Amino acid sequence: MLPSVNIALQKVPLTGSFAAHELAKVLSFQPFQEWVQAFTKQQETRQNEMNVSSIDIQSIDYFGSEKIGFVKFKANVAFKDTGKNAPGIVFMRGGAVSMMIILRAKGEEDKVILTLQPRVPVPHLSFPELPAGMLDGSGNFSGTAAKEIKEEIGIEIKEDELIDMTQLAYGDKWKGIYPSAGGSDEFLRLFVCIKEMEKEEINKMEGKLTGLRDQGESITLKLVPFKDAWKSSPDAKLLSSLALYHALKDKIL
């Protein structure tokens, strides 16, 4: 018997060429559970306008031997009134945090920390971007952000030094910003921190090697002037963070 989930009034089977115990792991994968809950809420709000006939699990990627990292599936969804299909291919990875660290020294222009590391999907072997990390499921966004700053940048920042710009902008309406809503559930919580440091300390960070080597991370730090950050990288996290920072400046400073 195929495992299934309840989406509003429908019992929807999970299909795919995976063993029952692997499909059971998908059912317990927190991003999948949150997706089912959100889909149910949408159906209830919009008078069950969609028919969800099945969810076809196409691939499962693990972190280690047990923990699911990513799931790719196709939800077979159609409008009830027309029978027309809605795009339903999903690359599921859950949420992440991103941190824009603005370094400030007396008499100097503000700088932003970017990380340089290989990004094979792009592909680019030294892609400039804001430091970021996947959420751990605890719901502690600022705690995860502080942990990632320590791992990727090597500096200690307290949770209360971090400002969640997505919370300021949207409250509880949205979980974060969605960089690719047409194909992925990924959402980003965008944090900013203004860190005052001595000029000499800031200069020492340029070119510093960081990251968790035992997890395959090889990160180099790059400092760019805050005023030029928008043209220093095509990173969507950076550009979105700059947009929110300028829009929310009165609440942040």
Side-chain angles (χ1 to χ4, degrees):
M1 184 175 178
L2 293 173
S4 63
V5 293
N6 292 318
I7 297 179
L9 301 177
Q10 285 190 274
K11 187 174 183 179
V12 182
L14 267 65
T15 61
S17 58
F18 292 93
H21 74 277
E22 288 191 284
L23 293 178
K25 287 182 180 179
V26 173
L27 289 174
S28 62
F29 184 39
Q30 185 169 335
F32 186 79
Q33 292 179 340
E34 292 176 355
W35 179 84
V36 170
Q37 292 168 4
F39 206 148
T40 294
K41 187 175 180 179
Q42 282 289 299
Q43 284 282 74
E44 292 171 348
T45 301
R46 299 176 64 89
Q47 289 75 52
N48 294 290
E49 70 176 302
M50 295 292 192
N51 179 56
V52 189
S53 58
S54 65
I55 298 172
D56 182 23
I57 306 300
Q58 298 175 331
S59 68
I60 305 171
D61 289 306
Y62 290 90
F63 293 162
S65 60
E66 294 294 329
K67 183 181 177 182
I68 290 182
F70 310 119
V71 175
K72 182 177 177 290
F73 63 84
K74 182 179 180 182
N76 294 298
V77 180
F79 290 91
K80 284 185 178 178
D81 57 350
T82 65
K84 185 177 180 180
N85 292 329
I89 294 176
V90 179
F91 172 61
M92 179 161 284
R93 56 172 295 154
V97 292
S98 172
M99 294 73 66
M100 183 168 72
I101 311 299
I102 301 173
L103 301 178
R104 182 165 291 171
K106 188 175 181 180
E108 299 291 319
E109 64 179 355
D110 290 349
K111 293 186 177 180
V112 173
I113 302 176
L114 299 181
T115 60
L116 305 177
Q117 58 184 311
R119 290 304 192 195
V120 175
V122 176
H124 197 287
L125 300 185
S126 186
F127 188 75
E129 61 185 316
L130 289 182
M134 295 178 66
L135 292 172
D136 58 10
S138 68
N140 184 4
F141 300 129
S142 59
T144 301
K147 177 174 174 285
E148 290 295 331
I149 291 169
K150 174 65 175 175
E151 291 177 358
E152 293 200 3
I153 301 177
I155 59 176
E156 297 273 1
I157 289 182
K158 298 177 182 177
E159 289 184 37
D160 59 10
E161 293 181 275
L162 290 160
I163 299 170
D164 186 345
M165 294 189 290
T166 35
Q167 178 66 32
L168 282 179
Y170 308 117
D172 296 327
K173 182 178 180 180
W174 302 103
K175 291 196 291 185
I177 69 156
Y178 291 84
S180 188
S184 178
D185 72 315
E186 181 185 25
F187 65 90
L188 298 169
R189 303 290 294 210
L190 303 180
F191 286 85
V192 65
C193 174
I194 301 172
K195 187 77 171 174
E196 295 189 2
M197 299 173 66
E198 295 296 327
K199 176 183 175 181
E200 292 73 22
E201 290 181 278
I202 293 175
N203 290 339
K204 286 179 182 178
M205 298 185 71
E206 179 68 42
K208 184 178 178 181
L209 298 176
T210 64
L212 300 178
R213 294 298 189 269
D214 60 345
Q215 294 184 19
E217 294 181 341
S218 179
I219 298 171
T220 303
L221 301 186
K222 179 180 177 64
L223 305 182
V224 299
F226 178 77
K227 63 180 177 61
D228 296 328
W230 65 273
K231 60 182 178 181
S232 300
S233 168
D235 177 33
K237 302 184 299 297
L238 170 63
L239 298 175
S240 298
S241 293
L242 289 170
L244 284 184
Y245 179 83
H246 288 299
L248 300 166
K249 202 169 183 180
D250 290 343
K251 296 181 179 180
I252 293 172
L253 298 179

